[in-house]
Amino acid sequence: MDAIIQPLSTLHPLPSPHAELILTLQQDRILLRSSADGTVLRDILLGFEFVNRCKHIRWYTDRRRRIAGSQSESEPEYPSHLRFLVADHDTVQVYDVDDSKWNAVLKGASSTTGRIANVDFGYTPNEVLVFSDFGFKMTVWSLQSSRGVEIKDPKFPRQGHCFRPHSGHLVVLTRPDTHDIAMLLAPRTHKLVKSFTLAAGDAQGIKWSPDGRWLAVWEAPNTGYLVCIYTSDGHLFKSYNGGHNAENISLGVTTVDWDPKGSYLAIGSYEDGITLLNTNTFILAAVFEHKAVITTPNAVVYQEQIDARHERSYVNASQPTYPPEGAKQSRGISSTVFSTDGDYVATRSETMPTTVWIWSLKILAPVAILIHHAPIKSIQWHDIDIHLLMIHCATRDPVVHLWDPSWDAPRISRLRLEKSGGRIEAKWIYTKPGELIRFMLSTTKSYALSGINGEQDIPSLPGMVKSRCSGSEDMFDDGNSMDLSPIKINHNDFTTNLVNESSEIGLGEQWDPSLELDDTFDYRRRIPGIA
């Protein structure tokens, strides 16, 4: 049977990037559990007040991801430092899994004028990004130097910043006045490399391409259909309006995503279409339409059914098929999720919220369409079994829907989970190649893990064992702390590298010329006759 753990958390449990550990908040503490058997490996006292106010839990995720298909072994398989943080409206607490005596506390990490709107790790585990409420500022805190770099007027606390793959340059979307400005910051030092005004009047997001050569910026729907492509050094390369003009008006862009190989840029629209641009020239490669009447002879249509015993299964649906429509005020593409190798993309439209479309990027056509009883909450491809898709629907039943092109039909897996009345979340538990594929369903009251193999769903855990705790002592005893306001660091043999008072704010590291951004139009200054 499935293994069930009831941590009585105030937030959903969060598995680590390599899924060996799971964080849960419980009453006045945070517990670090083994995902193998639920054993409590570490027990950290936070206090009732902090736990009640806690809004953010984050693991450090290694951002130095390889391009899909790359065989390079120069980058580690897992992060060199496994750290996590918890934060309330004002304070961030950071812990190291491998060093139980190290932790850092950022008090007043946001500002005196607002609360923490979002918090996350930076490009390295020694950096913490803190976004103030009301878009007042973004601060990059260094856990090495105990200093912070402030970026004024960030436009968004989440989708308005990203790190350049491999080099770690940070681009931040800001709006200090009437125009949007993108700021390029150097890795480690976070010194300003360049800032440039965006062509978009009201940019809604910015994303690096997987190879770090391009930046995609998309416009707000109320100003029309527009996606701008910039070079890595901030030059406008191309503007794409989808062929729309004053006579052919579009409702605008909803999503923008790069495929993992960097071969395509996918642009979702309110017209329920996805436009694929070839990234060699950024010209139209294909359009994926999500029609209200499904007639796709090359794709299999599956429909979920529930029998009198409340058992769920998929059946083949005859064509033409009419998937259920959503609310009239909701429309447009809401999800575009690529498989790890970029061979498939799964999409969802708000117009048909219970339907998942699975497209092959090899033939540029749909291969499967799955219609469900409840709206889709999330779509997730597995990182190792790269063609395995998990679909989670907004239902009270603890079930997940699974699709793989090698199977005869999609599968539905049910887990035993305490029904607390709260929302259910689903996540993959990432495993190494050759290990059993696992996933987790969770509420704020409990979580359950199960696994699948090539034949059937099987339980992945042997059951509960007696928990062991590391103690309830307060990890923030002032007698063991080094006060470096606003960061307080508890340490064992930990040395902080302080920046000289007269130096620039940052980490004080030497600049690596190899990390400089290429100037796309440098040839114009080197070739006579070209202005």
Side-chain angles (χ1 to χ4, degrees), residues 132-422:
S132 301
D133 212 354
F134 311 116
F136 179 63
K137 68 178 180 179
M138 163 191 172
T139 308
V140 184
W141 290 105
S142 167
L143 301 182
Q144 290 180 316
S145 68
S146 302
R147 299 293 184 91
V149 177
E150 292 185 357
I151 296 94
K152 297 291 187 180
D153 306 308
K155 191 169 184 180
F156 302 108
R158 289 176 175 82
Q159 76 266 26
H161 70 282
C162 56
F163 290 92
R164 187 180 187 228
H166 312 297
S167 71
H169 288 83
L170 174 62
V171 62
V172 183
L173 188 62
T174 66
R175 193 175 181 88
D177 203 345
T178 58
H179 299 285
D180 291 335
I181 295 176
M183 299 180 64
L184 281 173
L185 306 177
R188 299 191 299 270
T189 63
H190 301 105
K191 294 180 180 179
L192 181 64
V193 176
K194 187 174 184 179
S195 64
F196 52 95
T197 302
L198 298 175
D202 188 9
Q204 293 301 292
I206 189 167
K207 287 184 179 180
W208 285 105
S209 62
D211 58 8
R213 294 179 59 197
W214 310 102
L215 278 165
V217 180
W218 60 99
E219 184 64 275
N222 61 328
T223 55
Y225 187 110
L226 181 63
V227 177
C228 297
I229 309 299
Y230 291 85
T231 61
S232 61
D233 56 340
H235 292 95
L236 178 61
F237 179 76
K238 188 169 185 177
S239 297
Y240 183 80
N241 63 6
H244 300 285
N245 51 41
E247 297 179 355
N248 181 21
I249 299 175
S250 169
L251 296 178
V253 175
T254 57
T255 61
V256 173
D257 295 281
W258 300 90
D259 87 295
K261 295 178 181 178
S263 302
Y264 295 106
L265 179 65
I267 305 172
S269 71
Y270 279 98
E271 286 78 22
D272 293 327
I274 294 179
T275 299
L276 290 185
L277 301 183
N278 187 310
T279 56
N280 290 327
T281 54
F282 291 98
I283 62 174
L284 181 64
V287 176
F288 294 161
E289 296 182 340
H290 300 66
K291 297 182 178 180
V293 181
I294 300 176
T295 53
T296 55
N298 295 326
V300 182
V301 180
Y302 297 99
Q303 191 160 7
E304 182 185 20
Q305 67 173 8
I306 304 176
D307 61 22
R309 297 178 299 174
H310 298 284
E311 296 291 334
R312 297 171 179 264
S313 62
Y314 281 106
V315 296
N316 285 74
S318 59
Q319 299 187 39
T321 304
Y322 302 84
E325 295 186 0
K328 294 297 182 182
Q329 64 271 21
S330 298
R331 61 179 301 166
I333 302 298
S334 58
S335 298
T336 305
V337 186
F338 289 92
S339 61
T340 306
D341 63 351
D343 285 351
Y344 294 96
V345 60
T347 61
R348 174 188 180 272
S349 168
E350 289 290 342
T351 308
M352 296 164 281
T354 66
T355 305
V356 173
W357 303 64
I358 303 172
W359 309 78
S360 168
L361 294 182
K362 292 183 177 179
I363 62 174
L364 298 179
V367 293
I369 301 171
L370 282 63
I371 303 173
H372 304 86
H373 268 264
I376 309 301
K377 285 185 64 176
S378 66
I379 306 170
Q380 304 172 52
W381 293 96
H382 197 275
D383 265 3
I384 303 301
D385 195 339
I386 54 179
H387 293 162
L388 178 58
L389 180 68
M390 177 169 66
I391 303 167
H392 184 221
C393 298
T395 175
R396 294 183 178 181
D397 292 342
V399 297
V400 295
H401 302 72
L402 304 165
W403 177 88
D404 189 291
S406 64
W407 295 347
D408 294 334
R411 302 175 184 174
I412 301 175
S413 180
R414 179 185 293 270
L415 279 71
R416 293 192 302 110
L417 188 68
E418 176 188 346
K419 294 185 178 180
S420 61

Side-chain angles (χ1 to χ4, degrees), residues 1-9 13 21-24 26 31-40 415-418 438 440-449 461-465 467:
M1 70 180 181
D2 305 320
I4 302 177
I5 300 173
Q6 298 180 350
L8 299 177
S9 303
L21 306 169
I22 296 177
L23 287 176
T24 60
Q26 179 176 330
L31 302 180
L32 191 64
R33 296 179 180 269
S34 167
S35 63
D37 53 19
T39 302
V40 176
L415 279 71
R416 293 192 302 110
L417 188 68
E418 176 188 346
R438 297 186 295 167
M440 178 179 77
L441 286 179
S442 66
T443 66
T444 58
K445 300 298 182 183
S446 64
Y447 67 86
L449 294 92
L461 301 182
M464 287 292 294
V465 298
S467 300

